[in-house]
């Protein structure tokens, strides 16, 4: 029997790389997508030696529409695919009005347009066999609208709503949609130019998780049928308290409006 197949975007580092490693260990073949070819090649070679994984490398900048289309074409050419992981992403630190408009638009393309397009391509292929798993890597910021960068929060919220609505439409099938909402995770995310002023030590150590732990918990929750998932007890606690703070603000606003 041929091996199962997973396509992972943003597979060159962090959470995407951990998904590749854990799925390779489970026996999947992989399609690895990202911009840094060398990193993808090194990963593919390592997984081939360790688990006999066959990997197809796709070098694509998902902020370019033509390159999103190339990945869509690859999916359209497949007879079957078992897992799609829309993971590629990055952060921004400036405010909405003063931030770099081009980078904000890139973010909309990478987080929203690419993920939407790959979901749209993969679901008809999965429906042929009535099974599959799609993981959209969102963020805890997508559930905490009050506290994040506007573009990041809005694009990550889109992924949560997309996942919930799509799962509802597919409820009579064996296709599972899972929005993974990590909190602070060790990866290259905070090392990019876009977040150059970020200081990791400003966040308490206990709130950080490793990429491999996030992925292990996500795969387990996804297979149990959890549609929206926040890994880590402390992340869930902080989400709970931030929502209480939000509810308090909203009630305060209603009371002030009435008076
Ligand atoms: N780390 C955190 O604290 C955290 C928290 C919540 C959510 N997340 C989410 O988790 C996902 C993975 O991030 P990470 O933490 O693993 O960070 P990371 O180590 O920086 O990985 C990001 C991945 O996305 C790829 N990528 C970025 N821009 C791309 C583009 N234009 N086209 C194609 N690929 C692109 C990168 O590959 P190339 O540079 O090779 O293209 C890299 O493989 C992101 O969606 C992020 O928003 C992270």
């Amino acid at each position: 029997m041929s091996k199962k197949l997973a396509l992972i975007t943003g597979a060159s580092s962090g959470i995407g790389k951990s998904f590749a490693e854990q799925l390779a260990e489970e026996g999947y073949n992989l399609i690895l997508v990202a911009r840094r070819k060398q990193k993808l090649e090194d990963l593919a070679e390592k997984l081939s030696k360790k688990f006999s994984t066959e990997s197809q490398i796709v070098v694509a900048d998902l902020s370019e529409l033509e390159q999103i289309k190339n990945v869509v074409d690859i999916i359209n050419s497949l007879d079957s695919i078992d897992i799609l992981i829309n993971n590629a992403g990055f952060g921004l630190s400036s405010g909405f009005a003063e931030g770099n408009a081009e980078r904000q638009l890139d973010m909309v393309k990478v987080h929203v347009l690419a993920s939407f397009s790959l979901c749209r391509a993969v679901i008809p292929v999965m429906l042929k066999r009535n099974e599959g798993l799609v993981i959209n890597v969102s963020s805890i910021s997508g559930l905490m609208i009050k506290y994040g960068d506007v573009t990041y929060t809005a694009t990550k919220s889109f992924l949560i709503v997309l996942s919930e609505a799509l799962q509802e439409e597919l409820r009579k099938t064996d296709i599972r949609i899972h929005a993974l909402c990590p909190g602070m995770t060790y990866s290259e995310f905070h090392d990019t130019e876009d977040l150059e002023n970020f200081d990791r030590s400003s966040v308490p150590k206990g709130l950080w998780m490793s990429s491999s732990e996030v992925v292990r918990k996500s795969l387990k929750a996804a297979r149990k049928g959890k549609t929206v998932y926040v890994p880590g007890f402390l992340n869930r606690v902080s989400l709970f308290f931030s929502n209480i703070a939000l509810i308090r603000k909203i009630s305060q606003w209603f009371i002030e409006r009435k008076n």
Side-chain angles (χ1 to χ4, degrees):
M1 215 172 87
S2 61
K3 280 185 162 190
K4 290 188 168 190
L5 180 66
L7 186 152
I8 305 165
T9 70
S12 57
S13 65
I15 294 172
K17 187 177 177 188
S18 291
F19 269 117
E21 289 167 342
Q22 293 186 29
L23 290 174
E25 190 170 2
E26 288 184 21
Y28 283 76
N29 282 334
L30 303 170
I31 302 176
L32 305 171
V33 184
R35 292 166 302 179
R36 289 171 296 172
K37 189 176 179 205
Q38 190 59 52
K39 291 233 175 208
L40 295 179
E41 283 177 351
D42 293 347
L43 177 63
E45 194 185 331
K46 184 178 104 177
L47 299 179
S48 163
K49 279 188 188 144
K50 225 171 157 184
F51 308 113
S52 305
T53 310
E54 284 173 29
S55 300
Q56 179 184 349
I57 284 167
V58 181
V59 178
D61 182 340
L62 297 174
S63 66
E64 301 281 339
L65 302 192
E66 264 311 301
Q67 298 187 37
I68 296 176
K69 193 173 171 301
N70 289 345
V71 186
V72 165
D73 288 343
I74 289 170
I75 294 175
N76 286 339
S77 72
L78 298 170
D79 288 332
S80 71
I81 178 166
D82 300 282
I83 300 184
L84 164 68
I85 301 177
N86 280 313
N87 162 77
F90 60 95
L92 290 172
S93 56
S94 330
F96 188 70
E98 66 271 21
N100 180 329
E102 212 172 305
R103 285 303 281 155
Q104 291 167 342
L105 198 55
D106 281 350
M107 181 176 273
V108 174
K109 287 188 247 173
V110 175
H111 293 180
V112 176
L113 204 60
S115 304
F116 177 88
S117 304
L118 302 198
C119 275
R120 180 61 188 83
V122 91
I123 295 301
V125 183
M126 288 179 172
L127 276 172
K128 282 194 227 158
R129 289 190 306 137
N130 190 37
E131 64 178 2
L133 170 63
V134 176
I135 299 182
N136 290 317
V137 182
S138 174
S139 166
I140 199 168
S141 304
L143 296 161
M144 288 175 157
I145 48 169
K146 199 177 161 316
Y147 297 99
D149 168 82
V150 172
T151 317
Y152 190 77
T153 302
T155 54
K156 291 298 184 180
S157 295
F158 171 86
L159 290 172
I160 295 168
V161 177
L162 173 72
S163 303
E164 286 185 301
L166 191 51
Q167 182 64 87
E168 180 58 22
E169 184 169 310
L170 295 169
R171 68 187 180 282
K172 291 188 179 145
T173 73
D174 288 333
I175 299 172
R176 293 284 153 264
I177 316 290
H178 175 78
L180 166 61
C181 305
M184 290 297 182
T185 308
Y186 289 116
S187 68
E188 294 180 18
F189 185 86
H190 299 98
D191 300 328
T192 58
E193 249 178 61
D194 293 305
L195 292 180
E196 63 186 354
N197 295 324
F198 182 83
D199 174 11
R200 278 196 179 84
S201 64
S202 64
V203 179
K205 272 208 165 119
L207 283 177
W208 290 87
M209 290 174 75
S210 68
S211 293
S212 58
E213 192 185 2
V214 167
V215 166
R216 191 171 40 75
K217 287 179 183 294
S218 167
L219 286 171
K220 196 171 167 196
R223 285 163 174 157
K224 279 188 180 164
K226 191 106 183 115
T227 305
V228 179
Y229 177 64
V230 178
F233 176 70
L234 285 180
N235 285 330
R236 291 193 286 274
V237 170
S238 42
L239 180 63
F240 176 77
F241 282 109
S242 78
N243 285 342
I244 287 185
L246 192 61
I247 290 165
R248 209 179 291 135
K249 279 260 175 217
I250 293 168
S251 349
Q252 211 177 338
W253 180 76
F254 269 111
I255 292 163
E256 280 165 13
R257 240 180 120 218
K258 269 177 104 181
N259 295 335

